[in-house]
């Protein structure tokens, strides 16, 4: 499985960043899971510089621009140069501050152009009885995939993160049954854009209040390929317990 942690701005000291990285390396060395961590970019730079482990690095976001007179932007080229191999794109916290599908598509294209593997976040804000959230999710996928070649589409990892399930407790998170249905639905939408086994081979992660209590059941029952983990991935105890639970 892929175990990707989203450090967000939870980690603000070098010391803590080093400890979390050391833990990820230790866990990865005893595991068949693939570990991806996403320190804030300055920390990513110095940790990745000395990285000879199986742990990979992910930029939490990248710019929608390329280099030049763009004060404050972290371009895909910079993220790549700093040591990232993955880029998280379209996280709900970025969408909440105005990023739309057009901007997200631009970011994705820049990531791909620099050889970064994009992890595209999708997820409905809430569920309605008429099932309109399904059309919303389809649009989040379609608006991006429609602009890309088959080769580019095959590079994308999807992170399904229903916004209503983020930042809650494991009991308020998604059920195995609902997640199983959603993974089937997402793969069905993907099959409209990917030929052959493309849709079934696209890794689909789940994120939203995953912790020690629900990780195993979600991993075993739903057809996901891994997790995108927020809070439980930024404390040493909760992260090692969660990985142990898997
Ligand atoms: C997230 O925001 O991507 C996330 C999964 O957060 P949490 O695990 O804290 O719900």
């Amino acid at each position: 499985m892929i175990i990707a942690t989203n450090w967000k701005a939870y980690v603000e000291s070098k010391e803590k960043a080093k400890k979390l990285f050391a833990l990820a390396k230790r866990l990865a060395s005893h595991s068949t899971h693939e570990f991806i961590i996403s320190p804030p970019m300055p920390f990513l730079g110095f940790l990745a510089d000395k990285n000879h482990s199986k742990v990979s690095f992910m930029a939490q976001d990248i710019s929608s621009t390329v280099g030049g007179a763009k004060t404050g932007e972290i371009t895909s080229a910079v993220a790549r140069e700093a040591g990232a191999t993955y880029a998280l794109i379209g996280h709900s916290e970025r969408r909440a501050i105005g990023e739309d599908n057009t901007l997200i598509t631009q970011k994705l294209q820049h990531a791909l152009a620099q050889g970064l593997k994009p992890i595209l976040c999708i997820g409905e804000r809430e569920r309605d009885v008429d099932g309109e959230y399904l059309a919303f999710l389809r649009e989040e996928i379609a608006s991006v995939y429609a602009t890309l070649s088959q080769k580019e589409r095959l590079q994308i990892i999807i992170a399904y993160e229903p916004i209503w399930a983020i930042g809650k407790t494991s009991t308020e998170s998604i059920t195995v049954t609902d997640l199983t249905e959603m993974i089937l639905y997402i793969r069905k939408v993907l099959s409209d854009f990917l030929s052959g086994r493309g849709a079934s081979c696209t890794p689909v992660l789940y994120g939203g209040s995953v912790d020690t209590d629900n990780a195993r059941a979600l991993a075993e029952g739903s057809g996901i390929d891994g997790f995108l983990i927020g809070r439980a991935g930024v404390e040493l105890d909760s992260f090692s317990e969660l990985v142990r639970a898997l």
Side-chain angles (χ1 to χ4, degrees):
M1 298 205 100
I2 296 174
I3 302 178
T5 52
N6 181 5
W7 289 18
K8 310 190 184 188
Y10 288 128
V11 180
E12 296 184 282
S13 84
K14 253 190 198 179
E15 278 321 299
K16 184 162 182 188
K18 283 185 196 166
K19 282 183 188 161
L20 282 169
F21 179 42
L23 174 62
K25 285 197 282 191
R26 212 164 45 246
L27 294 170
S29 69
H30 296 112
S31 167
T32 54
H33 301 307
E34 182 184 349
F35 287 75
I36 305 173
I37 61 172
S38 64
M41 191 51 71
F43 297 163
L44 187 154
F46 84 76
L47 294 176
D49 213 25
K50 301 177 186 68
N51 186 25
H52 302 291
S53 74
K54 283 162 50 185
V55 177
S56 304
F57 287 86
M58 169 173 80
Q60 294 182 15
D61 182 38
I62 45 147
S63 174
S64 59
T65 70
V66 291
K70 315 278 168 54
T71 304
E73 297 290 336
I74 306 268
T75 62
S76 295
V78 169
R80 182 89 183 105
E81 191 69 16
T85 48
Y86 294 88
L88 194 61
I89 298 179
H91 188 275
S92 57
E93 285 154 14
R94 305 296 314 174
R95 293 183 191 259
I97 54 171
E99 294 197 4
D100 60 11
N101 288 330
T102 307
L103 191 81
I104 286 162
T105 303
Q106 280 168 8
K107 291 186 173 198
L108 209 117
Q109 286 167 336
H110 288 312
L112 287 168
Q114 289 300 325
L116 289 171
K117 291 181 203 154
I119 301 185
L120 172 66
C121 298
I122 59 168
E124 73 281 6
R125 182 159 299 284
E126 57 192 9
R127 294 207 162 180
D128 56 296
V129 283
D130 300 327
E132 276 176 28
Y133 66 94
L134 295 173
F136 177 86
L137 280 178
R138 162 173 267 282
E139 180 54 25
E140 285 193 325
I141 296 173
S143 58
V144 169
Y145 276 65
T147 65
L148 303 173
S149 67
Q150 276 289 313
K151 197 170 161 223
E152 288 172 325
R153 291 171 187 173
L154 286 168
Q155 311 290 318
I156 299 174
I157 295 171
I158 298 283
Y160 171 55
E161 295 209 307
I163 298 169
W164 53 264
I166 292 178
K168 302 278 174 47
T169 61
S170 52
T171 47
E172 296 164 288
S173 181
I174 200 162
T175 62
V176 178
T177 310
D178 284 351
L179 183 56
T180 308
E181 271 177 29
M182 291 314 296
I183 299 304
L184 284 172
Y185 176 72
I186 288 165
R187 291 201 191 284
K188 185 170 173 296
V189 175
L190 290 175
S191 69
D192 290 344
F193 297 93
L194 291 161
S195 53
R197 289 173 36 77
S200 56
C201 291
T202 297
V204 183
L205 315 182
Y206 169 73
S209 300
V210 178
D211 66 20
T212 330
D213 294 333
N214 60 358
R216 180 112 192 222
L218 292 173
E220 285 182 348
S222 65
I224 55 167
D225 299 292
F227 291 110
L228 179 57
I229 299 158
R231 289 156 301 154
V234 291
E235 296 304 332
L236 298 171
D237 288 349
S238 56
F239 188 44
S240 51
E241 278 165 25
L242 193 158
V243 173
R244 217 172 299 131
L246 288 171

Short mmCIF file of all heavy atoms in Angstrom, two decimals, residues 6 8 91 93 161 165-167 207-210 228-231, ligand 1:
data_model
loop_
_atom_site.label_atom_id
_atom_site.label_comp_id
_atom_site.label_asym_id
_atom_site.label_seq_id
_atom_site.Cartn_x
_atom_site.Cartn_y
_atom_site.Cartn_z
N ASN A 6 0.33 13.87 4.92
CA ASN A 6 0.23 15.30 4.59
C ASN A 6 0.56 16.10 5.84
O ASN A 6 -0.27 16.23 6.73
CB ASN A 6 -1.19 15.60 4.09
CG ASN A 6 -1.36 17.06 3.72
OD1 ASN A 6 -0.39 17.82 3.74
ND2 ASN A 6 -2.58 17.43 3.37
N LYS A 8 1.05 19.21 6.16
CA LYS A 8 0.44 20.55 6.18
C LYS A 8 1.39 21.53 6.87
O LYS A 8 2.60 21.46 6.69
CB LYS A 8 -0.93 20.51 6.87
CG LYS A 8 -1.85 19.41 6.35
CD LYS A 8 -3.24 19.54 6.89
CE LYS A 8 -4.12 18.39 6.43
NZ LYS A 8 -5.52 18.55 6.76
N HIS A 91 -5.65 19.79 -3.07
CA HIS A 91 -6.14 19.44 -1.73
C HIS A 91 -7.30 20.37 -1.38
O HIS A 91 -7.32 21.53 -1.78
CB HIS A 91 -5.01 19.58 -0.70
CG HIS A 91 -5.40 19.05 0.64
ND1 HIS A 91 -6.08 19.81 1.57
CD2 HIS A 91 -5.26 17.82 1.19
CE1 HIS A 91 -6.33 19.07 2.64
NE2 HIS A 91 -5.84 17.86 2.44
N GLU A 93 -7.99 21.97 1.14
CA GLU A 93 -7.62 23.24 1.81
C GLU A 93 -7.12 24.27 0.80
O GLU A 93 -7.19 25.47 1.05
CB GLU A 93 -6.59 22.96 2.92
CG GLU A 93 -7.29 22.32 4.12
CD GLU A 93 -6.39 21.44 4.99
OE1 GLU A 93 -5.16 21.51 4.85
OE2 GLU A 93 -6.95 20.66 5.79
N GLU A 161 -10.75 12.22 -1.02
CA GLU A 161 -10.83 12.79 0.32
C GLU A 161 -12.15 13.55 0.47
O GLU A 161 -12.20 14.76 0.18
CB GLU A 161 -9.68 13.77 0.56
CG GLU A 161 -8.32 13.13 0.56
CD GLU A 161 -7.35 13.91 1.46
OE1 GLU A 161 -7.22 15.12 1.28
OE2 GLU A 161 -6.78 13.29 2.36
N ALA A 165 -15.34 14.28 5.74
CA ALA A 165 -14.68 13.26 6.59
C ALA A 165 -13.32 13.72 7.08
O ALA A 165 -12.68 13.02 7.88
CB ALA A 165 -14.53 11.96 5.81
N ILE A 166 -12.86 14.88 6.64
CA ILE A 166 -11.51 15.34 7.03
C ILE A 166 -11.57 16.04 8.39
O ILE A 166 -12.50 16.80 8.66
CB ILE A 166 -10.94 16.31 5.95
CG1 ILE A 166 -10.66 15.54 4.65
CG2 ILE A 166 -9.68 17.00 6.45
CD1 ILE A 166 -10.14 16.41 3.52
N GLY A 167 -10.57 15.78 9.20
CA GLY A 167 -10.44 16.51 10.47
C GLY A 167 -11.46 16.09 11.52
O GLY A 167 -11.74 16.85 12.45
N GLY A 207 -8.35 9.46 1.98
CA GLY A 207 -7.96 10.31 3.09
C GLY A 207 -9.16 10.93 3.77
O GLY A 207 -10.17 11.25 3.11
N GLY A 208 -9.07 11.08 5.08
CA GLY A 208 -10.16 11.66 5.86
C GLY A 208 -10.33 10.92 7.16
O GLY A 208 -10.96 9.86 7.20
N SER A 209 -9.66 11.44 8.22
CA SER A 209 -9.79 10.87 9.56
C SER A 209 -9.44 9.38 9.62
O SER A 209 -10.18 8.57 10.19
CB SER A 209 -11.19 11.13 10.11
OG SER A 209 -11.42 12.53 10.17
N VAL A 210 -8.31 9.05 9.02
CA VAL A 210 -7.79 7.69 9.15
C VAL A 210 -6.90 7.66 10.39
O VAL A 210 -6.05 8.54 10.57
CB VAL A 210 -6.95 7.30 7.90
CG1 VAL A 210 -6.36 5.90 8.08
CG2 VAL A 210 -7.80 7.38 6.65
N LEU A 228 -3.98 8.72 2.34
CA LEU A 228 -3.38 10.05 2.53
C LEU A 228 -3.81 10.45 3.94
O LEU A 228 -5.00 10.57 4.23
CB LEU A 228 -3.92 11.03 1.48
CG LEU A 228 -3.40 12.46 1.59
CD1 LEU A 228 -1.88 12.53 1.51
CD2 LEU A 228 -3.99 13.32 0.46
N ILE A 229 -2.81 10.63 4.79
CA ILE A 229 -3.08 10.78 6.23
C ILE A 229 -2.68 12.16 6.69
O ILE A 229 -1.56 12.61 6.41
CB ILE A 229 -2.29 9.70 7.01
CG1 ILE A 229 -2.74 8.30 6.58
CG2 ILE A 229 -2.47 9.88 8.52
CD1 ILE A 229 -1.71 7.23 6.86
N GLY A 230 -3.57 12.83 7.40
CA GLY A 230 -3.26 14.15 7.96
C GLY A 230 -2.75 14.03 9.37
O GLY A 230 -1.60 13.64 9.61
N ARG A 231 -3.62 14.34 10.35
CA ARG A 231 -3.18 14.45 11.76
C ARG A 231 -2.45 13.23 12.28
O ARG A 231 -1.43 13.35 12.98
CB ARG A 231 -4.39 14.75 12.66
CG ARG A 231 -4.93 16.15 12.49
CD ARG A 231 -6.38 16.20 12.90
NE ARG A 231 -7.16 15.28 12.08
CZ ARG A 231 -8.29 14.71 12.44
NH1 ARG A 231 -8.79 14.96 13.62
NH2 ARG A 231 -8.94 13.89 11.62
C1 LIG B 1 -6.23 15.70 4.93
O1 LIG B 1 -6.53 16.86 5.23
O2 LIG B 1 -5.70 15.43 3.82
C2 LIG B 1 -6.50 14.63 5.88
C3 LIG B 1 -6.60 13.42 5.45
O3 LIG B 1 -6.61 15.03 7.19
P1 LIG B 1 -6.99 14.12 8.47
O4 LIG B 1 -6.34 12.77 8.29
O5 LIG B 1 -6.45 14.87 9.61
O6 LIG B 1 -8.49 14.03 8.47
#
